[in-house]
Amino acid sequence: MEGWGNTLPAWEELPGFGLYLDQVISLTAQAYQGDPVIAPLTAGMINSYVKSGLVDRPLKKKYSRAALAQLLMISFLKQTSSMDSLRSMLHPSERTDTETIYREFLRFYGKVTAYVAEHPDLSRLECALMAAICQMECARKDIINHDS
């Protein structure tokens, strides 16, 4: 899935075997290579995400395909989302698996990046306004979900 010069792997392209932490760091950095806004994940960040329950725990020090997908999504979404928002997006219910969420993430990522590519003349104000509207809508959904 391409956008802004980044290529995000499809679910099937993610390794189906366990990866060590340094391999996970390398793969997530590769996915967003050259993006001036997205900072690469560090071992400390990944450990923090695991401890907070955002990322599946490694088995015998190896991270699963699902954990890698979670980290790819976090790498992008952490720019504008709180830990609580990330948790509600990545773990909406016990019935929703990471594969489904990652596929949806890629679909929406593709739609939004295509829109941005089709509108290269977007001003900073337009970008900021669209981001603010989207963040407010997400905040509303968080409030509604917490109240129900």
Side-chain angles (χ1 to χ4, degrees):
M1 184 68 51
E2 299 224 12
W4 295 312
N6 301 319
T7 302
L8 297 179
W11 176 261
E12 297 79 19
E13 295 170 330
L14 298 175
F17 50 87
L19 298 172
Y20 289 106
L21 182 59
D22 60 329
Q23 294 171 308
V24 168
I25 291 170
S26 176
L27 283 173
T28 56
Q30 237 180 322
Y32 294 109
Q33 183 177 10
D35 190 303
V37 177
I38 301 175
L41 295 175
T42 65
M45 293 165 80
I46 293 172
N47 288 331
S48 173
Y49 296 140
V50 168
K51 285 179 185 173
S52 69
L54 282 175
V55 174
D56 294 350
R57 292 195 171 283
L59 235 75
K60 298 182 182 179
K61 297 189 179 188
K62 290 187 178 181
Y63 291 82
S64 65
R65 174 186 283 178
L68 179 58
Q70 291 162 346
L71 288 164
L72 286 167
M73 291 184 286
I74 289 168
S75 292
F76 190 81
L77 297 170
K78 71 181 172 69
Q79 311 305 315
T80 59
S81 301
S82 69
M83 292 287 265
D84 286 339
S85 289
L86 286 170
R87 189 171 288 104
S88 68
M89 287 185 274
L90 299 180
H91 304 284
S93 73
E94 290 183 18
R95 296 178 305 250
T96 308
D97 65 349
T98 299
E99 178 181 353
T100 301
I101 294 165
Y102 186 70
R103 289 180 187 280
E104 283 293 289
F105 171 82
L106 291 179
R107 188 171 70 81
F108 293 137
Y109 180 86
K111 284 172 66 173
V112 173
T113 55
Y115 179 84
V116 171
E118 291 168 8
H119 298 85
D121 58 336
L122 287 173
S123 70
R124 290 189 73 178
L125 178 60
E126 288 171 303
C127 290
L129 183 58
M130 285 192 296
I133 290 169
C134 289
Q135 283 186 320
M136 283 188 273
E137 185 58 27
C138 289
R140 283 185 194 99
K141 289 178 183 192
D142 285 346
I143 291 167
I144 291 168
N145 289 338
H146 287 310
D147 291 344
S148 56

